[in-house]
Amino acid sequence: MKIGIPRALLYYFHHDLWLNFFKNLNIETIVSPETNKAIVEMGVNNSIDEACFSSKIFIGHVGYLQDKCNVVFVPRIENTGIREEYCTRIFGVYDLVRNTFPNVKCLHADVNYLYGKSEPGAFIEIGEALGKDKSESLEAYNNALLTANSIKEAKILQQEKLLNSNGTKILIFAHAYNSYDAAVGKEITDFFIDNNIKVAYADVINEKEAQLLTQKSYGKRIYCRVTAQQIGGIKKYKDNVDGIVIISTFPCGPDAIFSELLIRQIKDKPILNIVIDELDSKAGIQTRMESFIDIINNREVKH
């Protein structure tokens, strides 16, 4: 048994948990490579035009894995509680995969706390599908969760140390699957790093702390779980950076709303808003980033 894991969408939130869970069960996994031109083309060719670029990338990764493993891991996470919803594109990808690649076998489980489907229960269901008993699966999950939480805490401490250091710093406001994907945000962040700009991420924050910060500013009206976490990161870190870069993919509706919200509310920091699709010119984006760096540098000189 070899399980294929697409390096897209939920992977960037949960890969430490997933990979350690399968490792604890002695199940072999194969993760698709970083997004490349061939994967993008496969995703675009197998998706409807109205799909966001991030979900097209996911379909491309599934296409890459389809003949390289026994099953592809495609869980569905709809929510983690009241007002903690995931994007419909994210919890719809299982159905997209089944219809796009009917010959691909999927390893699947649902997480929907409003319907009594918890994350531990989903991993027990996954373990049972792999021939493991309940206690073995639950132990593998609990140990994987401890590992994943330790990795997250270390990242938070490392970022806080970076934000308290000298030098020019920017904060990235983007979903993790955009920030770290090679075809979306990675080239952008690499460009800033190559130009001696330190990069921090709004999503690298304790989730409970982020939730409290978001509710304090906006109440409980923001029910998109991932966006609420990022907004909490903006609230915590914005005073420690020299500029904010928003990265989203076309045509993401929630990102369009919250990007505009941030741009209107944050008046004391330069903001660069980058929206990417499969047709974007790298040269054009680079020119905008160069101008943004000039703006930051000019502000520092004036101060």
Side-chain angles (χ1 to χ4, degrees), residues 185-196:
K186 191 172 184 297
E187 287 190 353
I188 293 171
T189 54
D190 286 348
F191 178 85
F192 285 112
I193 293 170
D194 291 341
N195 283 274
N196 298 316

mmCIF file with all atom_site columns, all heavy atoms in Angstrom, residues 185-196:
data_model
loop_
_atom_site.group_PDB
_atom_site.id
_atom_site.type_symbol
_atom_site.label_atom_id
_atom_site.label_alt_id
_atom_site.label_comp_id
_atom_site.label_asym_id
_atom_site.label_entity_id
_atom_site.label_seq_id
_atom_site.pdbx_PDB_ins_code
_atom_site.Cartn_x
_atom_site.Cartn_y
_atom_site.Cartn_z
_atom_site.occupancy
_atom_site.B_iso_or_equiv
_atom_site.pdbx_formal_charge
_atom_site.auth_seq_id
_atom_site.auth_comp_id
_atom_site.auth_asym_id
_atom_site.auth_atom_id
_atom_site.pdbx_PDB_model_num
ATOM 1  N N   . GLY A 1 185 ? 3.006  31.701 -4.147  1.00 0.00 ? 185 GLY A N   1
ATOM 2  C CA  . GLY A 1 185 ? 3.669  32.640 -3.242  1.00 0.00 ? 185 GLY A CA  1
ATOM 3  C C   . GLY A 1 185 ? 5.143  32.445 -3.017  1.00 0.00 ? 185 GLY A C   1
ATOM 4  O O   . GLY A 1 185 ? 5.843  33.375 -2.599  1.00 0.00 ? 185 GLY A O   1
ATOM 5  N N   . LYS A 1 186 ? 5.656  31.242 -3.276  1.00 0.00 ? 186 LYS A N   1
ATOM 6  C CA  . LYS A 1 186 ? 7.048  30.967 -2.927  1.00 0.00 ? 186 LYS A CA  1
ATOM 7  C C   . LYS A 1 186 ? 8.030  31.856 -3.704  1.00 0.00 ? 186 LYS A C   1
ATOM 8  O O   . LYS A 1 186 ? 9.012  32.352 -3.135  1.00 0.00 ? 186 LYS A O   1
ATOM 9  C CB  . LYS A 1 186 ? 7.369  29.498 -3.167  1.00 0.00 ? 186 LYS A CB  1
ATOM 10 C CG  . LYS A 1 186 ? 8.718  29.062 -2.593  1.00 0.00 ? 186 LYS A CG  1
ATOM 11 C CD  . LYS A 1 186 ? 8.896  27.557 -2.697  1.00 0.00 ? 186 LYS A CD  1
ATOM 12 C CE  . LYS A 1 186 ? 10.190 27.117 -2.036  1.00 0.00 ? 186 LYS A CE  1
ATOM 13 N NZ  . LYS A 1 186 ? 11.382 27.671 -2.678  1.00 0.00 ? 186 LYS A NZ  1
ATOM 14 N N   . GLU A 1 187 ? 7.775  32.070 -4.974  1.00 0.00 ? 187 GLU A N   1
ATOM 15 C CA  . GLU A 1 187 ? 8.658  32.939 -5.756  1.00 0.00 ? 187 GLU A CA  1
ATOM 16 C C   . GLU A 1 187 ? 8.608  34.380 -5.243  1.00 0.00 ? 187 GLU A C   1
ATOM 17 O O   . GLU A 1 187 ? 9.608  35.097 -5.282  1.00 0.00 ? 187 GLU A O   1
ATOM 18 C CB  . GLU A 1 187 ? 8.290  32.890 -7.231  1.00 0.00 ? 187 GLU A CB  1
ATOM 19 C CG  . GLU A 1 187 ? 8.685  31.596 -7.933  1.00 0.00 ? 187 GLU A CG  1
ATOM 20 C CD  . GLU A 1 187 ? 8.518  31.680 -9.444  1.00 0.00 ? 187 GLU A CD  1
ATOM 21 O OE1 . GLU A 1 187 ? 7.969  32.686 -9.920  1.00 0.00 ? 187 GLU A OE1 1
ATOM 22 O OE2 . GLU A 1 187 ? 8.945  30.742 -10.129 1.00 0.00 ? 187 GLU A OE2 1
ATOM 23 N N   . ILE A 1 188 ? 7.450  34.784 -4.760  1.00 0.00 ? 188 ILE A N   1
ATOM 24 C CA  . ILE A 1 188 ? 7.299  36.139 -4.227  1.00 0.00 ? 188 ILE A CA  1
ATOM 25 C C   . ILE A 1 188 ? 8.115  36.298 -2.948  1.00 0.00 ? 188 ILE A C   1
ATOM 26 O O   . ILE A 1 188 ? 8.885  37.247 -2.791  1.00 0.00 ? 188 ILE A O   1
ATOM 27 C CB  . ILE A 1 188 ? 5.810  36.445 -3.968  1.00 0.00 ? 188 ILE A CB  1
ATOM 28 C CG1 . ILE A 1 188 ? 5.059  36.504 -5.304  1.00 0.00 ? 188 ILE A CG1 1
ATOM 29 C CG2 . ILE A 1 188 ? 5.633  37.743 -3.194  1.00 0.00 ? 188 ILE A CG2 1
ATOM 30 C CD1 . ILE A 1 188 ? 3.548  36.597 -5.162  1.00 0.00 ? 188 ILE A CD1 1
ATOM 31 N N   . THR A 1 189 ? 7.955  35.351 -2.023  1.00 0.00 ? 189 THR A N   1
ATOM 32 C CA  . THR A 1 189 ? 8.698  35.445 -0.766  1.00 0.00 ? 189 THR A CA  1
ATOM 33 C C   . THR A 1 189 ? 10.202 35.279 -1.002  1.00 0.00 ? 189 THR A C   1
ATOM 34 O O   . THR A 1 189 ? 11.005 35.947 -0.353  1.00 0.00 ? 189 THR A O   1
ATOM 35 C CB  . THR A 1 189 ? 8.198  34.402 0.242   1.00 0.00 ? 189 THR A CB  1
ATOM 36 O OG1 . THR A 1 189 ? 8.250  33.088 -0.336  1.00 0.00 ? 189 THR A OG1 1
ATOM 37 C CG2 . THR A 1 189 ? 6.755  34.686 0.636   1.00 0.00 ? 189 THR A CG2 1
ATOM 38 N N   . ASP A 1 190 ? 10.564 34.411 -1.929  1.00 0.00 ? 190 ASP A N   1
ATOM 39 C CA  . ASP A 1 190 ? 11.992 34.244 -2.252  1.00 0.00 ? 190 ASP A CA  1
ATOM 40 C C   . ASP A 1 190 ? 12.585 35.540 -2.794  1.00 0.00 ? 190 ASP A C   1
ATOM 41 O O   . ASP A 1 190 ? 13.737 35.880 -2.498  1.00 0.00 ? 190 ASP A O   1
ATOM 42 C CB  . ASP A 1 190 ? 12.187 33.118 -3.275  1.00 0.00 ? 190 ASP A CB  1
ATOM 43 C CG  . ASP A 1 190 ? 12.008 31.733 -2.670  1.00 0.00 ? 190 ASP A CG  1
ATOM 44 O OD1 . ASP A 1 190 ? 11.965 31.631 -1.433  1.00 0.00 ? 190 ASP A OD1 1
ATOM 45 O OD2 . ASP A 1 190 ? 11.907 30.761 -3.442  1.00 0.00 ? 190 ASP A OD2 1
ATOM 46 N N   . PHE A 1 191 ? 11.796 36.278 -3.579  1.00 0.00 ? 191 PHE A N   1
ATOM 47 C CA  . PHE A 1 191 ? 12.281 37.543 -4.139  1.00 0.00 ? 191 PHE A CA  1
ATOM 48 C C   . PHE A 1 191 ? 12.596 38.537 -3.017  1.00 0.00 ? 191 PHE A C   1
ATOM 49 O O   . PHE A 1 191 ? 13.640 39.207 -3.037  1.00 0.00 ? 191 PHE A O   1
ATOM 50 C CB  . PHE A 1 191 ? 11.235 38.137 -5.076  1.00 0.00 ? 191 PHE A CB  1
ATOM 51 C CG  . PHE A 1 191 ? 11.630 39.467 -5.656  1.00 0.00 ? 191 PHE A CG  1
ATOM 52 C CD1 . PHE A 1 191 ? 12.427 39.539 -6.797  1.00 0.00 ? 191 PHE A CD1 1
ATOM 53 C CD2 . PHE A 1 191 ? 11.217 40.658 -5.069  1.00 0.00 ? 191 PHE A CD2 1
ATOM 54 C CE1 . PHE A 1 191 ? 12.807 40.769 -7.332  1.00 0.00 ? 191 PHE A CE1 1
ATOM 55 C CE2 . PHE A 1 191 ? 11.583 41.891 -5.594  1.00 0.00 ? 191 PHE A CE2 1
ATOM 56 C CZ  . PHE A 1 191 ? 12.382 41.940 -6.724  1.00 0.00 ? 191 PHE A CZ  1
ATOM 57 N N   . PHE A 1 192 ? 11.704 38.635 -2.044  1.00 0.00 ? 192 PHE A N   1
ATOM 58 C CA  . PHE A 1 192 ? 11.954 39.562 -0.932  1.00 0.00 ? 192 PHE A CA  1
ATOM 59 C C   . PHE A 1 192 ? 13.169 39.130 -0.119  1.00 0.00 ? 192 PHE A C   1
ATOM 60 O O   . PHE A 1 192 ? 13.995 39.958 0.264   1.00 0.00 ? 192 PHE A O   1
ATOM 61 C CB  . PHE A 1 192 ? 10.718 39.650 -0.034  1.00 0.00 ? 192 PHE A CB  1
ATOM 62 C CG  . PHE A 1 192 ? 9.603  40.460 -0.626  1.00 0.00 ? 192 PHE A CG  1
ATOM 63 C CD1 . PHE A 1 192 ? 8.416  39.864 -1.021  1.00 0.00 ? 192 PHE A CD1 1
ATOM 64 C CD2 . PHE A 1 192 ? 9.739  41.826 -0.794  1.00 0.00 ? 192 PHE A CD2 1
ATOM 65 C CE1 . PHE A 1 192 ? 7.381  40.614 -1.565  1.00 0.00 ? 192 PHE A CE1 1
ATOM 66 C CE2 . PHE A 1 192 ? 8.718  42.591 -1.347  1.00 0.00 ? 192 PHE A CE2 1
ATOM 67 C CZ  . PHE A 1 192 ? 7.538  41.983 -1.728  1.00 0.00 ? 192 PHE A CZ  1
ATOM 68 N N   . ILE A 1 193 ? 13.286 37.846 0.144   1.00 0.00 ? 193 ILE A N   1
ATOM 69 C CA  . ILE A 1 193 ? 14.437 37.341 0.912   1.00 0.00 ? 193 ILE A CA  1
ATOM 70 C C   . ILE A 1 193 ? 15.732 37.620 0.165   1.00 0.00 ? 193 ILE A C   1
ATOM 71 O O   . ILE A 1 193 ? 16.739 38.031 0.770   1.00 0.00 ? 193 ILE A O   1
ATOM 72 C CB  . ILE A 1 193 ? 14.267 35.836 1.188   1.00 0.00 ? 193 ILE A CB  1
ATOM 73 C CG1 . ILE A 1 193 ? 13.095 35.606 2.145   1.00 0.00 ? 193 ILE A CG1 1
ATOM 74 C CG2 . ILE A 1 193 ? 15.551 35.252 1.774   1.00 0.00 ? 193 ILE A CG2 1
ATOM 75 C CD1 . ILE A 1 193 ? 12.701 34.161 2.297   1.00 0.00 ? 193 ILE A CD1 1
ATOM 76 N N   . ASP A 1 194 ? 15.739 37.419 -1.152  1.00 0.00 ? 194 ASP A N   1
ATOM 77 C CA  . ASP A 1 194 ? 16.930 37.688 -1.967  1.00 0.00 ? 194 ASP A CA  1
ATOM 78 C C   . ASP A 1 194 ? 17.300 39.171 -1.955  1.00 0.00 ? 194 ASP A C   1
ATOM 79 O O   . ASP A 1 194 ? 18.445 39.532 -2.248  1.00 0.00 ? 194 ASP A O   1
ATOM 80 C CB  . ASP A 1 194 ? 16.705 37.223 -3.408  1.00 0.00 ? 194 ASP A CB  1
ATOM 81 C CG  . ASP A 1 194 ? 16.631 35.709 -3.531  1.00 0.00 ? 194 ASP A CG  1
ATOM 82 O OD1 . ASP A 1 194 ? 17.091 35.021 -2.602  1.00 0.00 ? 194 ASP A OD1 1
ATOM 83 O OD2 . ASP A 1 194 ? 16.097 35.215 -4.545  1.00 0.00 ? 194 ASP A OD2 1
ATOM 84 N N   . ASN A 1 195 ? 16.329 40.030 -1.630  1.00 0.00 ? 195 ASN A N   1
ATOM 85 C CA  . ASN A 1 195 ? 16.578 41.468 -1.554  1.00 0.00 ? 195 ASN A CA  1
ATOM 86 C C   . ASN A 1 195 ? 16.703 41.951 -0.106  1.00 0.00 ? 195 ASN A C   1
ATOM 87 O O   . ASN A 1 195 ? 16.439 43.117 0.199   1.00 0.00 ? 195 ASN A O   1
ATOM 88 C CB  . ASN A 1 195 ? 15.461 42.228 -2.271  1.00 0.00 ? 195 ASN A CB  1
ATOM 89 C CG  . ASN A 1 195 ? 15.605 42.193 -3.785  1.00 0.00 ? 195 ASN A CG  1
ATOM 90 O OD1 . ASN A 1 195 ? 16.294 43.015 -4.385  1.00 0.00 ? 195 ASN A OD1 1
ATOM 91 N ND2 . ASN A 1 195 ? 14.965 41.209 -4.412  1.00 0.00 ? 195 ASN A ND2 1
ATOM 92 N N   . ASN A 1 196 ? 17.119 41.029 0.764   1.00 0.00 ? 196 ASN A N   1
ATOM 93 C CA  . ASN A 1 196 ? 17.420 41.341 2.170   1.00 0.00 ? 196 ASN A CA  1
ATOM 94 C C   . ASN A 1 196 ? 16.203 41.843 2.952   1.00 0.00 ? 196 ASN A C   1
ATOM 95 O O   . ASN A 1 196 ? 16.333 42.666 3.867   1.00 0.00 ? 196 ASN A O   1
ATOM 96 C CB  . ASN A 1 196 ? 18.558 42.362 2.262   1.00 0.00 ? 196 ASN A CB  1
ATOM 97 C CG  . ASN A 1 196 ? 19.848 41.852 1.661   1.00 0.00 ? 196 ASN A CG  1
ATOM 98 O OD1 . ASN A 1 196 ? 20.240 40.707 1.894   1.00 0.00 ? 196 ASN A OD1 1
ATOM 99 N ND2 . ASN A 1 196 ? 20.512 42.682 0.864   1.00 0.00 ? 196 ASN A ND2 1
#
